[in-house]
Amino acid sequence: GGAAWGLLAWAIGPMGQWTLRDELTIMMLLVSAPLTLITTSYLWQGMLAFNAGLWGQVFLRVATEGYTRDALLVMVSLGFLSVVLYPYGRKLHRQTLAGVVANLHSQSLSAELGLAKRQLTQAPGQALALATHDPLTQALNRRAFLARTDVEASAMQRHGHAACLLMLDLDKFKSINDTHGHAAGDEVLMA
């Protein structure tokens, strides 16, 4: 990049014969070259190569045309901009990296927060199901069964309806577990 800018400046013509357009072109080069330097300043090798290309062209021009006031102006301007903008470019790079890291961290925290929110939203329903249902059969446990019978008994009294309760007792169920194993006994209970 530095060599390209230097060659472009070289194509403008001898320094002693610059027109206003040539001087404006050089000024644009002096402004845009350091901006490119900023983007390469986080990698010192890139900055060094860029500066070497620019300075190489300046010294080549001075060697072929002689040392002039215009050459001094270009060298001082280029040197000043290189020295001043390098720390700015480094700071810009650090801030950019910090911003990217902060953004990634924020996205990670947002994802974790979303997961935690979903878990908290589901937790009351899961806790109620665990507190009121048998984990194997999903039938109401004793506490939930008694609460439900109280509600149903009150409703039946209000409306004058009769109720019937059916209870089953599986005799010798232990023999199923003992003979076929607890997994088979669980299957019988869930059926």
Side-chain angles (χ1 to χ4, degrees), residues 12-79:
I12 289 176
M15 288 184 204
Q17 300 172 4
W18 282 355
T19 64
L20 178 60
R21 183 183 62 89
D22 294 335
E23 290 176 359
L24 289 176
T25 302
I26 290 296
M27 293 304 254
M28 292 300 293
L29 288 173
L30 287 174
V31 169
S32 60
L35 294 177
T36 306
L37 175 65
I38 289 173
T39 62
T40 62
S41 63
Y42 69 93
L43 183 63
W44 70 269
Q45 296 95 335
M47 189 218 49
L48 184 64
F50 186 84
N51 271 320
L54 281 176
W55 282 99
Q57 291 299 323
V58 169
F59 287 128
L60 182 63
R61 190 139 193 185
V62 167
T64 58
E65 296 179 15
Y67 187 75
T68 64
R69 182 185 62 83
D70 295 331
L72 176 65
L73 177 66
V74 169
M75 288 169 36
V76 167
S77 300
L78 186 58

Side-chain angles (χ1 to χ4, degrees), residues 48-137:
L48 184 64
F50 186 84
N51 271 320
L54 281 176
W55 282 99
Q57 291 299 323
V58 169
F59 287 128
L60 182 63
R61 190 139 193 185
V62 167
T64 58
E65 296 179 15
Y67 187 75
T68 64
R69 182 185 62 83
D70 295 331
L72 176 65
L73 177 66
V74 169
M75 288 169 36
V76 167
S77 300
L78 186 58
F80 175 76
L81 289 172
S82 296
V83 169
V84 168
L85 290 178
Y86 177 71
Y88 173 74
R90 294 290 296 169
K91 181 178 180 181
L92 183 66
H93 178 70
R94 283 191 302 274
Q95 288 174 342
T96 302
L97 284 180
V100 168
V101 169
N103 189 23
L104 290 173
H105 185 65
S106 174
Q107 289 174 359
S108 174
L109 289 176
S110 293
E112 289 176 19
L113 184 61
L115 176 63
K117 184 178 178 182
R118 283 190 299 278
Q119 290 172 340
L120 283 174
T121 302
Q122 296 168 352
Q126 291 171 344
L128 181 62
L130 289 172
T132 59
H133 290 78
D134 177 72
L136 179 64
T137 63

Side-chain angles (χ1 to χ4, degrees), residues 110-174:
S110 293
E112 289 176 19
L113 184 61
L115 176 63
K117 184 178 178 182
R118 283 190 299 278
Q119 290 172 340
L120 283 174
T121 302
Q122 296 168 352
Q126 291 171 344
L128 181 62
L130 289 172
T132 59
H133 290 78
D134 177 72
L136 179 64
T137 63
Q138 297 303 311
L140 291 177
N141 63 17
R142 181 171 187 237
R143 180 182 309 159
F145 175 76
L146 292 175
R148 181 65 185 244
T149 55
D150 286 345
V151 171
E152 291 299 324
S154 295
M156 293 193 162
Q157 279 182 339
R158 272 194 316 272
H159 297 293
H161 294 132
C164 178
L165 180 63
L166 176 67
M167 291 185 69
L168 296 174
D169 184 20
L170 299 176
D171 287 335
K172 300 181 185 169
F173 184 75
K174 182 177 179 325

Side-chain angles (χ1 to χ4, degrees), residues 173-182:
F173 184 75
K174 182 177 179 325
S175 64
I176 295 173
N177 283 339
D178 292 344
T179 306
H180 302 288
H182 288 281

